[in-house]
Amino acid sequence: MHIWSRIDRLGRLLADRRKAAFQSHGIEGWEFDVLAALRRAGEPHTLTPGQLLKETFVTSGTMTNRVDRLAARGLVTRTTDPKDRRAVLVAITPAGLALVDAALESLVTVERELLAGLGDDDTARLADDLRRLLQQD
């Protein structure tokens, strides 16, 4: 139980720190998730709503609401796919790109701080141990 209790506490600590990092940029975790998925897509940072669903693991209704809210903030745009007029493309705007990059920088800083007490060998061993644990699932 001591392992699972520590993993649970660590998960809550990480969630709290991530939330604070995102709030310092005026975004919520779900906004970061959508913007980061578009960022990871590479130039031109565009995905279909279906692709966004696969990247963020939410329902289509939830994704529609999220894209609407991000579009209202000027962080994404919605356009018709020139290859298929029935399809929609969601693209990150320059403002959205700047925001997700800044939030990512803050997130990486927070995550580094959480691991600061571990050396490189300890960090590598922990990553390996966690990978093996997750592969059992």
Side-chain angles (χ1 to χ4, degrees):
M1 283 184 63
H2 66 277
I3 293 171
W4 297 116
S5 294
R6 288 181 177 127
I7 289 173
D8 184 54
R9 287 195 335 249
L10 184 59
R12 283 183 276 153
L13 176 64
L14 179 59
D16 289 346
R17 299 276 175 92
R18 282 181 165 188
K19 183 176 181 179
F22 296 150
Q23 284 178 339
S24 72
H25 296 280
I27 64 171
E28 300 206 24
W30 67 264
E31 291 172 303
F32 178 83
D33 289 345
V34 174
L35 295 173
L38 291 165
R39 177 74 165 110
R40 284 191 306 272
E43 288 290 337
H45 304 295
T46 301
L47 294 171
T48 66
Q51 291 169 315
L52 279 170
L53 292 175
K54 290 177 186 171
E55 291 287 322
T56 60
F57 305 103
V58 298
T59 66
S60 60
T62 298
M63 184 54 65
T64 298
N65 182 287
R66 289 179 177 187
V67 170
D68 287 346
R69 290 173 67 183
L70 289 168
R73 289 188 60 191
L75 301 175
V76 300
T77 59
R78 215 190 245 122
T79 57
T80 302
D81 185 342
K83 297 175 188 169
D84 180 356
R85 307 250 339 130
R86 298 167 296 167
V88 172
L89 296 174
V90 179
I92 195 167
T93 65
L97 197 57
L99 180 61
V100 75
D101 285 350
L104 179 60
E105 189 173 318
S106 293
L107 177 60
V108 169
T109 298
V110 163
E111 291 173 347
R112 271 196 199 114
E113 289 169 359
L114 288 171
L115 294 171
L118 300 177
D120 290 344
D121 289 343
D122 292 333
T123 303
R125 188 172 41 258
L126 178 60
D128 287 342
D129 290 344
L130 292 171
R131 184 179 307 105
R132 279 196 317 275
L133 185 61
L134 289 169
Q135 287 174 344
Q136 293 177 33
D137 187 26

